[in-house]
Amino acid sequence: MKISATGRYALRIMLDLALYGTGQPVRIRDIADRQEIPLKYSEAVMAQMNKAGFVTSVRGPKGGYLLAKRPEDYTVAAILQVTEGSMIPVECVESDYVGRDRETGAAAILWKKLNGAVASVLEETTLADLMDWQIVQNGEYFI
């Protein structure tokens, strides 16, 4: 499994919004600048997050984006699912998979264990956890 640039950017954008959006809307340009993500890319990711209901937009000169829920209500799995879709490492572990390369025996056990481990980390880690893990340098959040 490989997380795309879009998925990594989505996580960084949501973390930035959680860290800097303390009751006031955060401009996407400010997030893009802090995260060194191209503005167009940031806007596209934010549009996906908005469509998913993860953020709310505020229009006007003091507008920007706010998290729709508390940071502890977002799992990394949910954020990545918006951009990545399914996070399973191999298709054959899906319960409804009927392809001809369905694995059995030791290989099936391995893929199911890997899927469980990845899912556990992604589903148990919240945006609030990431905020707690954040390193602060020179009074600024370092993401």
Side-chain angles (χ1 to χ4, degrees):
M1 170 187 57
K2 187 174 183 179
I3 307 291
S4 71
T6 303
R8 293 190 316 273
Y9 288 165
L11 200 53
R12 287 172 44 199
I13 287 168
M14 292 293 285
L15 179 55
D16 189 284
L17 192 55
L19 292 168
Y20 289 94
T22 55
Q24 297 296 320
V26 180
R27 293 178 10 176
I28 191 65
R29 177 175 299 283
D30 294 338
I31 295 171
D33 288 347
R34 276 192 297 269
Q35 296 305 315
E36 298 179 353
I37 300 172
L39 181 60
K40 291 268 187 207
Y41 218 136
S42 300
E43 289 170 340
V45 168
M46 195 60 84
Q48 288 179 295
M49 294 296 125
N50 194 19
K51 184 177 179 183
F54 285 20
V55 299
T56 56
S57 61
V58 177
R59 295 196 179 270
K62 294 188 179 195
Y65 291 91
L66 293 163
L67 293 178
K69 301 181 279 187
R70 299 172 311 155
E72 52 269 17
D73 295 330
Y74 295 93
T75 64
V76 171
I79 294 167
L80 291 176
Q81 190 167 15
V82 171
T83 59
E84 304 296 311
S86 174
M87 295 301 299
I88 61 166
V90 290
E91 290 179 337
C92 66
V93 299
E94 288 184 307
S95 60
D96 61 347
Y97 182 76
V98 293
R100 66 182 173 146
D101 62 341
R102 179 171 266 315
E103 305 239 9
T104 58
I109 293 168
L110 171 68
W111 300 134
K112 287 179 182 175
K113 283 181 167 270
L114 178 62
N115 185 55
V118 169
S120 177
V121 170
L122 297 178
E123 290 170 6
E124 292 175 10
T125 306
T126 68
L127 206 48
D129 292 327
L130 297 180
M131 292 172 72
D132 290 343
W133 299 346
Q134 195 57 57
I135 300 169
V136 178
Q137 290 186 346
N138 298 328
E140 290 290 320
Y141 294 109
F142 180 73
I143 300 175

